[in-house]
Amino acid sequence: MKELDLSKIETALASYRDRSDLILLLQRVQELYGYLPISVLSKIEGVIGVSGAEIFGVATFYTQFKLKPSGKNIVKVCHGTACHVAGSERVEEALRRHLKAEGDEPTADGLFSIERVACLGCCSLAPVVMVNNRVCGRVKPSIIKNVIKDEKNKDREKDH
Ligand code: FES
């Protein structure tokens, strides 16, 4: 497993002074590492006057925080009322079957993670899937392969 670069958080820590900064600090950690690594949380412990238990309590209370790394691309499947009625369960099943993804674990190649979310704010396009920042509306299970293929192609273009 790759070693984490702890120098990133060491530099950032200087900007946070007390316990009221905890959420901001955790948001910064997640921005830097993509999730909240335990080794980084241990570094924070005591620095702004909060215990490890308090840090863990906040990190697990708010759904915005992730304690495990995600895939490179996040696929959000909306399960709000409009999307549910329009078949979001079938869309997610097709997505999970295609990517061989379970729960919130990243796919074996580390490219994708699937998240179930509530309303994404574009109900008229139900069912909605969001791949990173791209909104895909009126998604049918049969087009999931193409949605994922497009994203893989974009990744390849970025890498060249
Ligand atoms: S319910 Fe899915 S976008 Fe609103």
Side-chain angles (χ1 to χ4, degrees):
M1 190 182 229
K2 210 171 104 186
E3 281 276 316
L4 280 179
D5 177 7
L6 294 179
S7 66
K8 290 194 273 186
I9 192 59
E10 282 161 4
T11 310
L13 272 177
S15 315
Y16 302 91
R17 291 282 159 224
D18 60 41
R19 60 189 317 111
S20 65
D21 291 333
L22 179 57
I23 290 178
L24 289 174
L25 176 54
L26 293 179
Q27 287 170 337
R28 182 72 180 133
V29 171
Q30 191 155 288
E31 199 180 294
L32 289 169
Y33 296 95
Y35 71 111
L36 303 178
I38 295 298
S39 55
V40 175
L41 297 185
S42 304
K43 273 224 158 293
I44 294 169
E45 194 175 345
V47 174
I48 58 168
V50 287
S51 67
E54 287 173 282
I55 294 170
F56 192 72
V58 170
T60 53
F61 180 78
Y62 292 101
T63 54
Q64 66 175 298
F65 295 123
K66 297 174 187 164
L67 293 169
K68 292 188 282 187
S70 297
K72 185 176 176 190
N73 301 289
I74 307 292
V75 184
K76 293 179 179 169
V77 182
C78 179
H79 287 277
T81 306
C83 289
H84 178 76
V85 170
S88 59
E89 286 296 342
R90 288 191 307 278
V91 169
E92 183 174 335
E93 281 167 23
L95 190 56
R96 290 192 178 283
R97 210 175 313 117
H98 181 64
L99 290 174
K100 298 181 178 60
E102 287 184 31
D104 57 359
E105 294 295 323
T107 51
D109 58 8
L111 284 181
F112 294 94
S113 285
I114 299 171
E115 292 180 2
R116 291 172 65 94
V117 296
C119 183
L120 287 166
C122 41
C123 312
S124 62
L125 300 176
V128 177
V129 167
M130 198 166 165
V131 186
N132 300 319
N133 293 324
R134 181 168 63 109
V135 172
C136 307
R138 298 190 185 93
V139 176
K140 291 182 172 44
S142 59
I143 69 156
I144 282 298
K145 284 180 187 168
N146 294 338
V147 171
I148 296 303
K149 194 172 150 192
D150 285 353
E151 214 49 45
K152 284 184 173 174
N153 288 339
K154 279 186 192 163
D155 263 4
R156 277 189 213 110
E157 285 167 19
K158 270 190 250 164
D159 293 342
H160 288 113

